[in-house]
């Protein structure tokens, strides 16, 4: 399935940088920076089709400052041109793919899926950053004070400009995206959303489909987890999906690099930009050392629903509890948990 179409008009190859002056408020379009009417020119963070399909309008989400808002009240500033020419075609393409189930999303153009996930992530992150200016309760770890997170955010936004500007990524994809499938007989939950904004990782569950992504790793985590991902391409028990997510979240926490992106010079007649990417510190390790105890905490968080205590997760400190693999390292089948 191809990606969503761009406008037939002559493409605008001018990149927008909101970090100059930190223009993330409601006065500027999130994609192009055009001055707009605050509160009027907006698009929903979670698209209307998504909220309708999974009954999210009144459903509530808790933000870092403990503020509780309804999904329908999460918006980002967007001019009418970007809304009609870029955001709405993107949502229409993903809606059509999602209606075909996991296989529909798997054949969707990878860049389109990255941009769709990135749009939701951007909306949640900017909401959190703006709330920190007038917090209901001060977050324990303010995002605006996290220099590494802001550097990742800036790198992400460079590639996210592909939603508005025709951009080709030369021999790389900015993100790792995983599409898993749950066993409907074991899973009655139709929608879930969770994230770690500091590492630009989040997961969203749409019926039997679970999408988990790290948005600024150039596919490094997907490459590192290629065997686990291949073994997980089957209907999984939700506890197995949670374990897979714990691995992704922990890998993103260990990731020790932030890619740099460079647009090649534009020549007369060019109708798109080409991005190259490099990782500056080629002498260092891509990942910090793996620690089972820290990974166990990631499992503990993801397995809250099943109330599995740390003692059980770390019964063998050299091999934390796994539902994806058995004690011999072979893919494990989980028909029911807890077992009868």
């Amino acid at each position: 399935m191809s990606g969503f179409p761009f406008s037939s008009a002559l493409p605008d190859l001018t990149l927008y940088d909101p970090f100059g002056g930190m223009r993330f408020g409601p006065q500027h379009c999130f994609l192009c920076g055009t001055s707009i009417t605050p509160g009027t020119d907006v698009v929903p963070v979670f698209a209307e089709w998504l909220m309708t399909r999974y009954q999210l309008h009144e459903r509530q989400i808790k933000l870092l400052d403990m503020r509780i808002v309804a999904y329908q009240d999460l918006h980002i500033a967007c001019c009418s041109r970007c809304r009609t020419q870029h955001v709405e075609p993107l949502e229409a393409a993903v809606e059509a793919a999602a209606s075909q189930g996991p296989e529909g999303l798997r054949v969707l153009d990878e860049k389109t899926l990255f941009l769709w996930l990135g749009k939701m992530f951007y909306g949640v992150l900017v909401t959190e950053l703006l709330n920190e200016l007038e917090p209901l309760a001060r977050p324990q770890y303010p995002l605006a004070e996290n220099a590494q997170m802001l550097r990742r955010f800036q790198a992400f936004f460079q590639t996210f400009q592909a939603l508005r500007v025709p951009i080709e990524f030369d021999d790389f994809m900015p993100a790792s995206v995983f599409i898993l499938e749950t066993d409907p007989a074991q899973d009655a939950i139709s929608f879930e959303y969770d994230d770690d904004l500091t590492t630009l990782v989040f997961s969203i569950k749409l019926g039997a489909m679970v999408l988990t992504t790290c948005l600024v790793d150039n596919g490094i985590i997907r490459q590192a987890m290629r065997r686990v991902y291949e073994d997980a391409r089957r209907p999984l028990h939700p506890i197995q999906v949670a374990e897979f997510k714990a691995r992704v979240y922990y890998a993103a926490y260990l990731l020790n690099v932030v890619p740099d992106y460079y647009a090649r010079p534009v020549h007369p007649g060019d109708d798109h930009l080409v991005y190259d990417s490099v990782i500056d510190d080629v002498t260092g390790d891509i990942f910090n050392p793996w620690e089972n105890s820290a990974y166990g905490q990631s499992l503990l968080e993801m397995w809250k629903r099943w109330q599995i205590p740390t003692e059980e997760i770390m019964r063998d400190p050299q091999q934390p509890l796994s539902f994806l693999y058995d004690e011999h390292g072979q893919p494990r089948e989980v028909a029911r948990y807890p077992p009868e």
Side-chain angles (χ1 to χ4, degrees):
M1 183 180 297
S2 62
F4 64 97
F6 287 104
S7 167
S8 59
L10 289 175
D12 179 6
L13 302 184
T14 305
L15 297 171
Y16 169 54
D17 180 13
F19 292 85
M22 300 299 283
R23 291 171 290 175
F24 297 105
Q27 306 90 346
H28 302 282
C29 173
F30 81 106
L31 269 183
C32 69
T34 298
S35 296
I36 57 176
T37 304
T40 301
D41 296 320
V42 297
V43 291
V45 172
F46 296 87
E48 186 64 35
W49 71 266
L50 196 66
M51 291 191 290
T52 298
R53 184 172 297 179
Y54 298 102
Q55 300 177 333
L56 302 180
H57 289 85
E58 303 292 337
R59 186 164 169 170
Q60 295 179 328
I61 183 172
K62 181 183 287 187
L63 303 177
L64 289 178
D65 71 342
M66 308 309 290
R67 198 181 313 239
I68 296 176
V69 299
Y71 276 87
Q72 65 184 355
D73 294 330
L74 290 172
H75 298 93
I76 44 176
C78 185
C79 70
S80 60
R81 184 175 185 274
C82 285
R83 175 175 55 80
T84 57
Q85 295 191 13
H86 306 302
V87 176
E88 290 177 352
L90 172 70
E91 292 290 354
V94 178
E95 179 184 10
S99 68
Q100 301 172 35
E103 286 309 312
L105 289 179
R106 288 193 179 111
V107 300
L108 186 65
D109 177 77
E110 195 172 8
K111 184 196 294 184
T112 300
L113 197 55
F114 159 68
L115 294 173
W116 181 68
L117 295 168
K119 174 244 181 181
M120 288 184 288
F121 174 87
Y122 180 94
V124 172
L125 179 57
V126 168
T127 298
E128 297 279 17
L129 289 172
L130 293 176
N131 282 348
E132 285 187 358
L133 299 177
E134 297 180 7
L136 190 66
R138 183 170 174 80
Q140 184 177 4
Y141 304 107
L143 296 174
E145 297 175 9
N146 187 325
Q148 182 81 340
M149 187 279 293
L150 289 176
R151 188 180 167 213
R152 289 191 180 105
F153 183 28
Q154 191 166 13
F156 157 73
F157 195 85
Q158 286 181 269
T159 57
F160 183 58
Q161 281 281 283
L163 178 53
R164 181 182 63 85
V165 179
I167 295 174
E168 291 184 3
F169 304 121
D170 186 55
D171 199 30
F172 74 95
M173 185 53 59
S176 289
V177 178
F178 303 94
I179 303 173
L180 302 180
E181 184 178 357
T182 61
D183 180 355
Q186 302 292 340
D187 189 11
I189 296 177
S190 63
F191 179 89
E192 282 184 313
Y193 175 87
D194 53 72
D195 59 40
D196 183 342
L197 299 179
T198 60
T199 56
L200 277 70
V201 175
F202 78 95
S203 179
I204 187 168
K205 183 178 191 300
L206 310 174
M209 302 172 286
V210 180
L211 290 83
T212 301
T213 182
C214 178
L215 289 167
V216 65
D217 74 333
N218 280 9
I220 291 172
I221 293 175
R222 178 163 170 165
Q223 179 66 15
M225 291 184 56
R226 61 189 180 279
R227 183 221 163 181
V228 180
Y229 190 35
E230 281 300 316
D231 290 341
R233 289 176 73 107
R234 55 195 168 96
L236 298 173
H237 189 283
I239 203 168
Q240 295 176 301
V241 173
E243 178 181 336
F244 187 96
K245 287 167 53 177
R247 291 173 183 245
V248 176
Y249 277 59
Y250 185 56
Y253 172 76
L254 295 180
L255 190 64
N256 198 33
V257 296
V258 179
D260 290 313
Y261 302 104
Y262 302 95
R264 295 179 187 176
V266 178
H267 302 290
D270 285 354
D271 61 359
H272 67 278
L273 298 179
V274 178
Y275 269 18
D276 293 300
S277 179
V278 297
I279 294 175
D280 278 345
D281 187 9
V282 296
T283 62
D285 292 329
I286 297 295
F287 292 99
N288 289 320
W290 180 283
E291 296 181 3
N292 280 337
S293 59
Y295 170 58
Q297 290 300 307
S298 185
L299 287 171
L300 181 70
E301 180 67 25
M302 289 297 174
W303 283 340
K304 275 184 177 178
R305 174 173 158 191
W306 295 275
Q307 300 180 321
I308 303 176
T310 301
E311 295 75 20
E312 185 175 346
I313 294 172
M314 299 304 298
R315 183 168 295 158
D316 180 354
Q318 303 305 314
Q319 189 172 328
L321 180 64
S322 175
F323 291 96
L324 284 170
Y325 294 100
D326 62 23
E327 64 272 19
H328 304 295
Q330 297 302 309
R332 180 177 170 184
E333 295 294 333
V334 177
R336 186 181 303 275
Y337 188 87
E340 293 181 342

